[in-house]
Amino acid sequence: MRIFNKTNIDFVGKSAIAKFLSMALIIAGLASLVMKGGPALSIDFTGGTIAQLQFNNAVDVSELRSTLAENGFESSEIITFGSPNEVLIKTQFSGANSELESNLRTAIKSEFQVRRVESVGPKIGKELQSDALSAILLSLLLILVYISFRFDRFYAYGSVVALIHDVLITMGVFSLLSIEIDLTIVAAFLTIVGYSLNDTIVVFDRIRENVIKHARESLDTIVNISLNSTLGRTVVTSLTTFVVVLSLFLFGGEVIKNFAFALIVGIFVGTYSSIYVASPVMMYFEKKALAKK
């Protein structure tokens, strides 16, 4: 299926504009993170308690949140779970489960059943935080090694810079919107890394083919030819993936809504970075190496 036939877009010529756009987005995200003292972390990382409650009737989440805030449960996260009369309450409460249930029954006048209560201690939260960061860094390191073997180190530099770019922008968007980061969002970050890398490898593979096929052409021309020839595939892949993830965001429920939102941001940023970040970075190092020779 071909959406674009024989396009002749000067992607390389527009890379300077793209560079300023990327820098602006990254700086805005980093500024937000600095001003807020880091990303907003869920109790998965900070420690706290999750309580799943089932009411007899549908719950007004905003009203329940106000009631809990008035009774000592400030900054609690409340989401509907499964049905309109069932909710998950994430709170920083660190006491015994029985004490939490007692406090909830004092605060909430409606009848409810406690379906489950799970606690995460601060020490476990710190370990999860460290493990999540290690997982992301290890994935980037292994990608660097893999691309270096499959292509060369200049392609590897382009790939890793693009992936760091994608994760930073996605994290910055979450910070700007004050959305908490939990373990599902870390999973989303790793998914974005895989999605973006797949798109980048397709582009790099075509560049490698065209380096041989168009040996007399400049590197800028070869990269433009390669990006134009893979544009149709890139757009079709991104659109079909976007439709699926958008469906999850709209109809998948509150539990996976933030996960789906992270993927939506990642699809746009990953598609953009494979064209305007990975390739220009690879070209920069290739040209620098040729200039030394």
Side-chain angles (χ1 to χ4, degrees):
M1 177 179 175
R2 288 185 174 273
I3 292 182
F4 301 102
N5 257 332
K6 296 181 180 178
T7 57
N8 189 28
I9 302 171
D10 184 14
F11 290 106
V12 174
K14 295 178 175 62
S15 60
I17 298 173
K19 179 173 69 177
F20 285 112
L21 176 61
S22 294
M23 291 300 295
L25 290 172
I26 290 172
I27 289 171
L30 290 177
S32 175
L33 287 168
V34 171
M35 289 172 64
K36 294 179 179 179
L41 300 176
S42 75
I43 65 169
D44 292 341
F45 300 115
T46 60
T49 304
I50 298 175
Q52 182 180 341
L53 309 182
Q54 186 177 43
F55 292 81
N56 295 332
N57 301 307
V59 180
D60 185 330
V61 173
S62 59
E63 184 179 332
L64 178 60
R65 185 179 292 109
S66 299
T67 300
L68 291 176
E70 291 170 2
N71 289 272
F73 291 92
E74 295 86 358
S75 303
S76 295
E77 181 183 350
I78 305 170
I79 56 176
T80 55
F81 184 80
S83 63
N85 64 330
E86 197 162 350
V87 297
L88 279 181
I89 299 176
K90 297 183 178 181
T91 175
Q92 299 293 329
F93 182 86
S94 57
N97 292 351
S98 58
E99 184 183 351
L100 172 65
E101 183 177 346
S102 175
N103 290 349
L104 287 173
R105 292 197 182 280
T106 301
I108 304 171
K109 305 307 178 186
S110 305
E111 287 295 321
F112 63 85
Q113 292 180 327
V114 179
R115 300 291 300 274
R116 68 184 170 102
V117 177
E118 296 179 1
S119 298
V120 178
K123 184 178 180 182
I124 299 298
K126 290 291 183 183
E127 289 178 2
L128 289 173
Q129 189 175 338
S130 175
D131 290 346
L133 181 61
S134 298
I136 294 174
L137 293 177
L138 181 60
S139 67
L140 293 176
L141 177 61
L142 293 176
I143 288 166
L144 182 67
V145 173
Y146 168 72
I147 301 295
S148 296
F149 276 109
R150 178 163 177 177
F151 297 95
D152 63 34
R153 68 182 186 278
F154 305 128
Y155 287 81
Y157 297 158
S159 299
V160 171
V161 169
L163 298 179
I164 294 172
H165 165 277
D166 298 345
V167 172
L168 284 178
I169 289 182
T170 306
M171 187 177 292
V173 169
F174 269 64
S175 178
L176 288 167
L177 298 178
S178 298
I179 301 175
E180 283 190 344
I181 293 177
D182 55 22
L183 289 176
T184 60
I185 304 305
V186 174
F189 287 157
L190 294 174
T191 305
I192 291 167
V193 165
Y195 177 86
S196 179
L197 179 64
N198 177 65
D199 206 24
T200 300
I201 286 178
V202 171
V203 173
F204 281 175
D205 209 40
R206 189 59 56 88
I207 291 173
R208 185 170 58 178
E209 290 175 8
N210 287 330
V211 164
I212 299 171
K213 191 183 295 185
H214 302 279
R216 294 179 180 274
E217 301 288 350
S218 67
L219 184 58
D220 288 20
T221 302
I222 291 171
V223 170
N224 268 331
I225 291 171
S226 304
L227 290 172
N228 279 284
S229 64
T230 57
L231 184 61
R233 179 263 174 203
T234 299
V235 171
V236 169
T237 302
S238 298
L239 282 178
T240 52
T241 309
F242 172 74
V243 169
V244 174
V245 175
L246 182 62
S247 300
L248 284 175
F249 179 77
L250 294 176
F251 310 114
E254 292 292 331
V255 175
I256 62 170
K257 192 170 187 177
N258 288 343
F259 174 81
F261 177 70
L263 292 184
I264 288 173
V265 175
I267 287 168
F268 283 105
V269 176
T271 302
Y272 164 86
S273 69
S274 65
I275 296 173
Y276 285 115
V277 179
S279 299
V281 170
M282 178 274 294
M283 289 171 57
Y284 169 78
F285 286 107
E286 287 278 10
K287 289 178 178 179
K288 195 172 180 181
L290 288 172
K292 286 183 179 180
K293 289 182 181 180

